[in-house]
């Protein structure tokens, strides 16, 4: 059974850092793009970042670029999202997802999400 399980969310202050983890199990992830996608309250899901399981190449959308870093540990089957200089607009449910195409609609598997709240 394929599972993506997020952890590491919580309530933080503006300017704080947080590291999210995604434990991926149930299949091999060769050729998959592993992604973090977030959904702010009352808004649609938005793409944050993705990483190639094969070679670790990373892609970021504008809100994340320069502040967030995506990485993966293939030995632990885990994907991370290091978030620095957090802002109130980063408040969202953060989902880990996997697919062959690095877009929201291209994701085949989804976790249940972890809540990140940035308080001012």
């Amino acid at each position: 059974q394929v599972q993506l399980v997020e952890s590491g969310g919580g309530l933080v202050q503006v300017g704080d850092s947080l590291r999210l983890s995604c434990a991926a199990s149930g299949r091999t992830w060769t050729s998959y793009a592993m992604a973090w996608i977030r959904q702010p309250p009352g808004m649609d899901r938005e793409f944050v970042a993705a990483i190639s399981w094969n070679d670790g190449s990373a892609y970021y959308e504008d809100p994340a670029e320069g502040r967030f870093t995506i990485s993966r540990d293939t030995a632990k089957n885990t994907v991370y999202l290091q978030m620095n200089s957090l802002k109130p607009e980063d408040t969202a449910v953060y989902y880990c997802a996997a697919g062959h195409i690095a877009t929201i609609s291209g994701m085949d598997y989804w976790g249940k999400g972890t809540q990140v709240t940035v308080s001012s």
Side-chain angles (χ1 to χ4, degrees):
Q1 180 183 358
V2 173
Q3 280 192 311
L4 299 174
V5 180
E6 304 94 337
S7 61
L11 173 64
V12 296
Q13 301 294 314
V14 169
D16 282 353
S17 297
L18 207 57
R19 189 177 81 157
L20 305 182
S21 299
C22 171
S25 62
R27 66 160 301 132
T28 56
W29 299 102
T30 305
S31 80
Y32 272 80
M34 310 299 289
W36 288 97
I37 293 161
R38 70 186 185 186
Q39 186 164 22
M43 298 177 65
D44 292 335
R45 290 183 179 184
E46 58 184 29
F47 203 93
V48 176
I51 188 167
S52 165
W53 190 264
N54 288 2
D55 62 13
S57 56
Y59 166 79
Y60 299 91
E61 284 288 350
D62 285 345
E65 189 125 35
R67 297 188 299 125
F68 295 1
T69 303
I70 189 170
S71 61
R72 91 274 189 253
D73 185 330
T74 56
K76 295 182 178 180
N77 276 357
T78 301
V79 180
Y80 304 98
L81 185 68
Q82 176 68 43
M83 304 187 293
N84 299 327
S85 302
L86 284 162
K87 305 174 182 180
E89 51 264 44
D90 295 318
T91 294
V93 177
Y94 284 72
Y95 297 92
C96 177
H100 286 104
I101 301 173
T103 62
I104 292 176
S105 60
M107 294 293 114
D108 298 317
Y109 304 105
W110 290 80
K112 294 182 178 180
T114 185
Q115 175 71 46
V116 172
T117 302
V118 184
S119 172
S120 56

